[in-house]
Amino acid sequence: MEKEKTDKKDHILDVAEKVFSELGYDGASTRLISGEANVNMAMLNYYFGSKEGLFIAVFERKINLFRTLLQNINEDESLSSWNKLELYIDKYVDRVVANSCFQKLVNREVSLSRHAEINEKITDILMTNVLEFKKVMQEGVDNGSFFEGADIGLCIATIFGTKNYIINTPQVASRMLGKDVLDENFLESELKPRMKIYMKKLLKSYLATEK
Amino acid sequence: MEKEKTDKKDHILDVAEKVFSELGYDGASTRLISGEANVNMAMLNYYFGSKEGLFIAVFERKINLFRTLLQNINEDESLSSWNKLELYIDKYVDRVVANSCFQKLVNREVSLSRHAEINEKITDILMTNVLEFKKVMQEGVDNGSFFEGADIGLCIATIFGTKNYIINTPQVASRMLGKDVLDENFLESELKPRMKIYMKKLLKSYLATEK
DNA sequence: CAAATTTAATCAAACGATTGATTAAACTAC
DNA sequence: GTAGTTTAATCAATCGTTTGATTAAATTTG
C-alpha cells in the first residue's frame, strides 16, 4: 500500500501543479484540485496538512528536478566563459519553455507579499539559477573575456526577464510577435531557436563592447 | 455635490489601487478596500457595479495618464531613431519605477487566466506601450539606422522584461544586486540611472551589429 | 418664495455561495 | 482486530453582492 500511497500523492501533486499554474494560489480551491484529482477533499489535508502545505509540496518536488541541471556545466574547464554562457542559455531556454506553466506560477506568487513561507521557498529556488548564471558571467569579466564595465546584475535581469516576459504575458507577446506563443509548434520549431540566437547575439554584442 | 462625488470616487480608486497592488485582486476584499477608504461597502457596487468593475476602473484611470506619454516623442521628426529610442527608455524607466506597485499588479493579474474581461483590458493597456516602442524600432530598421536582421519583437521583450524582472521579483533582484531594490534612495539615485545606461548600451551594441 | 416631488448618496444588515478545515464513521488490508 | 485510508457530512469564516430604509440635495410645481 506504501507504493500506491506514493503514487496517489504524486498524482495529487501533478494535478495541483497544473491547477495552481492556471488559476493561481487563491484561484485554485481545494475542492477543485481534489475534484480534478478524483480524490476526496479531506485527502489533501490528510496528506499535506493544509492548502499551503500542498503548495509547498508542489514546489519542493520541482526543486529536486531543477537543482542539478546547470551546475555541472560550470565545472568543465575546457570551455571558455563564452562557451559556458552559450550552453547555459541553450539549457535554460529549453528547460524553462518546457515548464512554462510552472514558471508562470512561480513568478506570479513570488510577486505577492502574502504567504511569507511560500515566498521564501520560491526565492530560494529562483536564486539557485540566478547564482549559477552570475558565477559564469563574473568569471568571464574576471578573466577578461567580457568587458570590464559589464553590468552583470542587469544582464541577468535581462536573461531571466526576457524569458519571463514571453512566458508570463503570452497574450501580449503573441500580439507582438504576430504568432501564438502558446502554440506548441511555433514554440518548439521557431520561438525557442529564435530566442537562443537572439539572446546569444544580444549578450555577445554587449559583453564584447570595447572599454 | 457633483465635485464631491468625483472626489470620493477618485479617493476610492486611489485606495483600491494601493490595496490591489499590495494584495492582488483576490487578496484585496471589498470589505478591506471600503474600510481603508472609509466608505460603506455598498458604495463600491453603487459606483462601480462590481469588484471587477472597480478593478477595471482603476486601470482605465491609469491608461489616460499613460497613453499620451510616449506618443508625442515619435512625432518629432528632428530626432533620429536612436534618439527616440533613448528618450523612450528614459521616460519608460522613470515612469515605470514611479508606479512599480501598479506595474507589479498588472503583470501579476495578466498572467492569470481567470477574469476574462480584466485580462482583455490589461492586454490592451500593455499593447499601447508595446506598439509605441515597436513603431520607433521598426522605423529605425527601415531607415537603416539599426541593422536589418534585428529581432524587434524580442528586443521589446528584453526592454519590458528586464524592467519587469526587477519590479516583479524584488527579493530576488535585491539579493542579486546586493542592495534593496525597494529602498527608495538606492532606486532613485543609483538603480534608475544605472538601468538607463545599461539598457541604452545593451540595445545600442545589439542594434548596431554589422550584417 | 414655499411646498411638493424626484433624484442621488449613504448606510447597516443580511443574503447565498464558497472557502479551507475538521469530524466521526466506514472501509481496506494485513 | 487494528492500523492506515477514505468517505460524506459538517464546521465557522469570509467572500461579493443585494436589500430596504434614511438622509440630503436638486428639481418641479403652484
Side-chain angles (χ1 to χ4, degrees), chain B residues 1-11 46-47:
Chain B
M1 190 95 263
E2 178 64 25
K3 186 168 154 286
E4 277 196 33
K5 175 190 163 190
T6 306
D7 282 356
K8 180 160 269 181
K9 278 180 93 167
D10 248 37
H11 175 240
Y46 178 73
Y47 280 135

Side-chain angles (χ1 to χ4, degrees), chain B residues 128-160:
Chain B
T128 61
N129 289 342
V130 166
L131 291 180
E132 282 300 314
F133 261 99
K134 190 170 182 178
K135 207 193 303 177
V136 72
M137 294 190 76
Q138 190 61 53
E139 183 191 283
V141 170
D142 290 343
N143 66 27
S145 304
F146 305 152
F147 94 98
E148 202 188 325
D151 195 327
I152 304 294
L154 291 184
C155 267
I156 292 174
T158 291
I159 295 171
F160 287 82

Side-chain angles (χ1 to χ4, degrees), chain A residues 147-180:
Chain A
F147 93 99
E148 202 187 327
D151 196 326
I152 302 296
L154 292 184
C155 267
I156 291 174
T158 291
I159 296 172
F160 287 82
T162 301
K163 179 272 303 176
N164 283 350
Y165 185 79
I166 294 173
I167 298 295
N168 294 343
T169 61
Q171 314 102 313
V172 179
S174 294
R175 283 213 225 171
M176 186 179 63
L177 298 174
K179 297 244 179 85
D180 180 15

Side-chain angles (χ1 to χ4, degrees), chain A residues 51-68:
Chain A
K51 184 187 183 183
E52 199 159 311
L54 171 60
F55 192 76
I56 290 176
V58 170
F59 268 90
E60 291 190 325
R61 196 178 57 152
K62 275 281 177 185
I63 310 181
N64 302 328
L65 298 176
F66 282 0
R67 188 146 22 210
T68 56

Side-chain angles (χ1 to χ4, degrees), chain A residues 22-23 104 108 110-111 113 119 123-124 134 151 154-156 158 161-162 168 171 175-176 194 198, chain B residues 22 104 108 110-113 119 124 134 151 153-156 158 161-162 168 171 175-176 194 198:
Chain A
E22 285 169 359
L23 304 177
K104 221 167 134 176
R108 200 188 310 122
V110 82
S111 90
S113 37
N119 221 284
T123 303
D124 285 341
K134 189 169 183 180
D151 196 326
L154 292 184
C155 267
I156 291 174
T158 291
T162 301
N168 294 343
Q171 314 102 313
R175 283 213 225 171
M176 186 179 63
R194 182 173 159 188
Y198 166 77
Chain B
E22 285 170 359
K104 221 167 134 175
R108 203 189 307 123
V110 81
S111 89
L112 276 175
S113 38
N119 222 283
D124 285 341
K134 190 170 182 178
D151 195 327
L154 291 184
C155 267
I156 292 174
T158 291
T162 302
N168 294 344
Q171 313 102 313
R175 281 213 226 170
M176 186 179 63
R194 182 173 158 188
Y198 166 76

Side-chain angles (χ1 to χ4, degrees), chain A residues 34-133:
Chain A
S34 60
E36 292 277 312
N38 275 108
V39 299
N40 190 278
M41 227 180 55
M43 296 306 295
L44 303 189
N45 293 303
Y46 178 71
Y47 281 135
F48 306 103
S50 67
K51 184 187 183 183
E52 199 159 311
L54 171 60
F55 192 76
I56 290 176
V58 170
F59 268 90
E60 291 190 325
R61 196 178 57 152
K62 275 281 177 185
I63 310 181
N64 302 328
L65 298 176
F66 282 0
R67 188 146 22 210
T68 56
L69 235 160
L70 295 180
Q71 292 179 341
N72 33 13
I73 295 178
N74 198 31
E75 290 161 7
D76 189 337
E77 299 200 359
S78 68
L79 296 171
S80 72
S81 291
W82 177 246
N83 288 144
K84 287 182 184 175
L85 189 57
E86 276 194 317
L87 275 174
Y88 269 50
I89 291 174
D90 285 336
K91 292 244 182 205
Y92 182 65
V93 171
D94 282 335
R95 175 172 68 70
V96 143
V97 168
N99 295 280
S100 62
C101 275
F102 183 73
Q103 291 287 327
K104 221 167 134 176
L105 171 66
V106 170
N107 288 304
R108 200 188 310 122
E109 299 304 329
V110 82
S111 90
L112 274 175
S113 37
R114 312 156 67 216
H115 312 301
E117 194 190 352
I118 289 179
N119 221 284
E120 254 178 62
K121 293 261 184 193
I122 302 181
T123 303
D124 285 341
I125 305 177
L126 296 177
M127 282 311 293
T128 61
N129 289 342
V130 167
L131 291 180
E132 282 299 314
F133 260 101

Side-chain angles (χ1 to χ4, degrees), chain B residues 73-85:
Chain B
I73 296 177
N74 198 30
E75 290 162 9
D76 188 338
E77 299 200 359
S78 69
L79 297 171
S80 71
S81 291
W82 177 246
N83 288 144
K84 287 181 185 176
L85 189 56

